[in-house]
């Protein structure tokens, strides 16, 4: 952020998402929010708190507990000219709506010969690290990023949490927004005039010359923290925030790898068949001769996320692990 | 607290107006004009004859797999005949007669069952969804469309179709529940054709009817003779009126029979008897309705025969046009289109790579 302090304000990621929803509801009367507990309760992560009072039950809709049901109804409403924001309480429960997302939303435009866009936005809380055990800690965004026909976003910064929603709503295609639940309480700076942002480009969040770390979501901040520590040892890490997981902006990370000659992917997903695997493959295809070291990946241990705090921390990618791996990569071939 | 009965007062009606022996209940007979009756009959006849022609084409290798509708013309036409053009029609995949009635061309259907997405196009301005293959998934889309219609304060209603198998799927239950909770203007039409591929309706449910499932969600349900087009029409007219006037959704179970195979990839002889099929053919909706029209003096036999000639000519013209058109379609590069409103760069790259590969017969790939 280069703006002067006077034009910036601080708010949480949660508040940024809420502001984005509010603004969208004011700007476009076709927009409504639906999902479990989004109304009176204000959302299980308190994102929609206060919106029912402001917009009423027609536009802030508490739905019965049935993910396929309200996702399918959201798709129907989108086909009927609305711009629904469907909140799936957590990405874990998207499994119950997978048929509607993958077999309808993602294919209808194609199967209708270009006739039926599905302009639905689906928001999902994602990620582990909050001690809610295996069934509530999944990171399935990489899995959805496998599916052609949808767009998959992973806003990490407050600015993106604030700005990606409107762009997603204006997009004629179905867009899934994965919000890492560890970020909701994170405070960050936001320009007073902040508004919509693009949803098709990765961003370099920190410049460096020795290695590129490619990450997204909550892991981005672990990468940035590691970069800070490594800088003290004279290792300059460049950090790329993917922002959009489908379609991937490979140009940005390939250009970075071409500068730094080393790449580490930090991804909360499991490594086998993962987004990290895809990025690694793209680097092999697009920047192989620029590499001074094999591409490395730091992912979650391939186990259901443990419930116990120390075990869960051990399973997830952590700052110390990133620091150690980068030192090995840079030192070993420096 | 003593153990006591809870009075559940929902009653379930069964409706038949014109039975298989030609007996007519004049008190319940819908009052349709001569023109409307003939339109209805022609739509059923066109659906039947087109279906038969599609089967011939499929057996000759001129179209791919398709799901025949034979025997279910009354169940779908009686219901959809109540819709206005401004209403939404949300089909499953065995409603070809209804789709044609709503304005889809025969030619487009032939194209579609040959694998061309161009054939899936819904006519401009028509509020129909394309056919839905994942069983029951469309029930929810209908509910969402109903929400949208109500939110916009229009008097549009939505009618969706599905089979007996779909009533076991979660989407059916979630959809009916939503529709009832939000009182959305949806008419749910179940074509209970007795078979979900090889599984009989007795293995789908332990309840004696499918219609009674409506009561679990707090909406009216009705069971009709699905081969009696007058009964289906009357039940759907009532449901449509209820939805339009803000009275919420209705479930209609049309008891009918899938005379042919599930799709042309299926052989029903493996799981059901020819006697059963023959029994149901006695209840064929078309001759029943034709006899009614003649008895009523709506049409003479020669007039119906003339209608049949016209239908056959229309079908032949569509087959000719579709086969001509297919010669112009089928560019493999078209498969990349319409995946996103705007093609992402990586998809563009894949499309270009395939274009090069096709142009060079794969040489370039070997060279790399």
């Amino acid at each position: 952020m280069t703006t002067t302090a006077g034009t910036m304000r601080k708010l949480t990621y949660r508040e940024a998402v809420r502001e984005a929803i509010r603004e969208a509801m004011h700007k476009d009367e076709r927009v409504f929010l639906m999902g479990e507990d989004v109304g009176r309760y204000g959302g299980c992560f308190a994102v929609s708190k206060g919106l029912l009072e402001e917009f009423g039950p027609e536009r802030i809709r508490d739905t019965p507990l049935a993910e396929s049901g309200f996702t399918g109804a959201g798709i129907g409403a989108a086909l009927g000219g609305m711009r629904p924001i469907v909140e799936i309480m957590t990405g874990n429960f998207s499994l119950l709506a997978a048929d509607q997302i993958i077999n309808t939303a993602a294919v209808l435009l194609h199967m209708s010969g270009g006739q039926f866009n599905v302009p639905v936005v689906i928001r999902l809380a994602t990620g582990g690290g909050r001690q809610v055990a295996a069934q509530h800690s999944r990171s399935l965004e990489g899995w959805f990023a496998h599916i052609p026909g949808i767009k998959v976003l992973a806003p990490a910064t407050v600015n993106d949490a604030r700005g990606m929603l409107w762009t997603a709503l204006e997009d004629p295609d179905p867009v899934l927004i994965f919000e890492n639940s560890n970020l909701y309480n994170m405070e960050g700076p936001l320009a007073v005039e902040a508004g919509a942002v693009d949803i098709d480009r990765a961003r370099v969040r920190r410049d460096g010359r020795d290695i590129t770390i490619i990450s997204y979501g909550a892991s981005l901040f672990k990468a940035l923290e590691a970069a800070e520590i490594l800088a003290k040892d004279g290792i300059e890490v460049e950090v790329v925030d993917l922002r959009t997981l489908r379609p991937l902006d490979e140009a940005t990370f390939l250009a970075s790898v071409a500068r730094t000659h080393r790449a580490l992917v930090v991804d909360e997903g499991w490594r086998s068949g993962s987004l990290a695997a895809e990025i690694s493959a793209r680097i092999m295809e697009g920047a192989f001769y620029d590499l001074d070291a094999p591409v490395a990946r730091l992912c979650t241990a391939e186990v259901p996320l443990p419930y116990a705090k120390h075990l869960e921390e051990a399973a997830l990618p952590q700052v110390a692990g990133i620091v150690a791996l980068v030192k090995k990569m840079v030192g070993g071939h420096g | 607290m003593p153990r006591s009965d809870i009075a559940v007062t929902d009653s379930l009606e069964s409706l038949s107006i014109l039975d298989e022996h030609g007996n007519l209940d004049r008190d319940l007979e819908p009052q349709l004009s001569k023109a409307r009756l003939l339109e209805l009959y022609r739509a059923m006849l066109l659906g039947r004859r087109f279906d038969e022609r599609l089967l011939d084409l499929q057996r000759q290798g001129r179209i791919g797999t398709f799901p025949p509708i034979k025997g279910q013309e009354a169940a779908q036409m009686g219901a959809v005949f109540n819709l206005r053009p401004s209403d939404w029609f949300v089909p499953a995949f065995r409603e070809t007669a209804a789709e044609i009635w709503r304005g889809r061309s025969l030619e487009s259907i032939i194209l579609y069952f040959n694998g061309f997405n161009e054939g899936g196009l819904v006519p401009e301005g028509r509020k129909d969804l394309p056919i839905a293959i994942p069983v029951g998934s469309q029930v929810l889309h209908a509910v969402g469309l109903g929400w949208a219609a109500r939110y916009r304060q229009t008097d549009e209603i939505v009618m969706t179709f599905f089979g007996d198998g779909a009533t076991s799927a979660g989407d059916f239950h979630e959809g009916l529940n939503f529709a009832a909770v939000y009182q959305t203007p949806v008419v749910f039409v179940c074509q209970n054709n007795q078979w979900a591929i090889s599984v009989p309706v007795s293995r789908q449910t332990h309840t004696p009817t499918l219609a009674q499932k409506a009561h679990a969600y707090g909406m009216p349900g009705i069971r009709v003779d699905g081969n009696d087009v007058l009964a289906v029409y009357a039940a759907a007219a009532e449901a449509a009126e209820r939805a339009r006037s803000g009275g919420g959704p209705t479930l209609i179970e049309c008891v009918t029979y899938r005379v042919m195979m599930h799709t042309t990839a299926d052989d029903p002889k493996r799981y059901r008897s020819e006697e059963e099929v023959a029994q149901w053919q006695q209840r064929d909706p078309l001759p029943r309705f034709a006899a009614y029209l003649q008895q009523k003096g709506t049409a003479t036999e020669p007039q119906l025969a003339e209608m049949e000639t016209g239908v056959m000519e229309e079908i032949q013209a569509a087959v000719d046009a579709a086969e001509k058109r297919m010669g112009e379609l089928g560019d493999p590069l078209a498969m990349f289109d319409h995946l996103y409103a705007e093609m992402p760069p990586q998809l563009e790259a894949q499309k270009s790579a395939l274009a090069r590969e096709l142009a060079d017969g794969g040489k370039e790939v070997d060279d790399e």
Side-chain angles (χ1 to χ4, degrees), chain A residues 29 34 58-59 61-62 64 66 68-70 72-73 76-77 79-82 99-100 104 109-116 148-151 172-173 246-248 282, chain B residues 88 112 117 120-124 128-130 134 137 140-141 143-145 147-148 150-152 171 174 177-178 181-182 334-342 344 346:
Chain A
E29 63 173 21
M34 62 192 280
E58 279 292 294
R59 297 186 72 194
R61 287 177 176 267
D62 275 322
S68 184
F70 62 74
L79 292 168
M82 304 290 284
D99 182 64
Q100 288 291 339
T104 298
L109 182 67
H110 194 250
M111 289 188 79
S112 68
Q115 206 169 18
F116 285 94
I150 52 178
K151 295 184 177 176
D173 299 317
R246 184 177 193 98
L248 272 175
R282 299 251 187 134
Chain B
W88 281 95
Y112 188 81
N117 282 347
L121 298 183
V122 171
E124 266 319 298
D128 300 3
L129 290 195
S137 60
L140 293 164
H141 310 150
V143 175
L145 286 165
W147 279 17
R150 220 191 60 167
Y151 177 84
R152 299 174 139 194
D171 282 356
E174 295 186 15
N177 187 46
F178 269 64
V181 167
Y182 281 105
M335 73 180 166
F336 292 99
D337 298 340
H338 310 309
L339 193 58
Y340 293 96
E342 199 179 316
Q346 285 133 32

Side-chain angles (χ1 to χ4, degrees), chain A residues 137-178:
Chain A
S137 302
R138 298 189 187 280
S139 296
L140 297 174
E141 52 274 16
W143 206 52
F144 280 100
H146 181 64
I147 308 296
I150 52 178
K151 295 184 177 176
V152 179
L153 314 184
T157 64
V158 167
N159 196 54
D160 279 349
R162 176 69 180 82
M164 281 181 144
L165 181 72
W166 178 252
T167 317
L169 281 166
E170 287 208 302
D171 196 294
D173 299 317
V175 181
L176 272 59
I177 306 180
F178 284 87

Side-chain angles (χ1 to χ4, degrees), chain A residues 200-331:
Chain A
D200 58 0
R201 288 280 174 268
R203 289 270 191 290
V204 175
R205 298 289 185 199
R206 181 188 174 103
D207 294 322
R209 58 170 195 274
D210 297 323
I211 184 170
T212 300
I213 297 182
I214 299 152
S215 193
Y216 67 90
S219 302
L220 172 72
F221 297 99
K222 292 178 180 173
L224 288 168
E225 200 181 323
E228 197 65 35
I229 294 166
L230 288 158
K232 289 174 189 146
D233 289 336
I235 300 170
E236 294 300 331
V237 179
E238 183 144 301
V239 180
V240 174
D241 174 8
L242 289 171
R243 298 177 72 244
T244 297
L245 310 184
R246 184 177 193 98
L248 272 175
D249 171 19
E250 65 178 29
T252 297
F253 65 76
L254 290 179
S256 172
V257 173
R259 286 192 296 271
T260 63
H261 311 295
R262 289 183 180 81
L264 165 65
V265 188
V266 180
D267 176 7
E268 228 185 84
W270 292 301
R271 60 196 289 135
S272 300
S274 64
L275 190 70
E278 174 63 21
I279 291 162
S280 174
R282 299 251 187 134
I283 296 170
M284 302 302 182
E285 289 166 351
F288 182 77
Y289 298 104
D290 294 315
L291 289 173
D292 284 346
V295 177
R297 290 181 282 162
L298 191 61
C299 300
T300 295
E302 294 204 341
V303 297
L305 262 251
Y307 194 175
K309 193 170 193 298
H310 65 297
L311 296 181
E312 187 180 30
E313 281 173 3
L316 288 164
Q318 301 295 355
V319 175
I322 301 172
V323 169
L325 189 51
V326 168
K327 279 185 175 171
K328 204 171 133 198
M329 288 174 75
V330 174

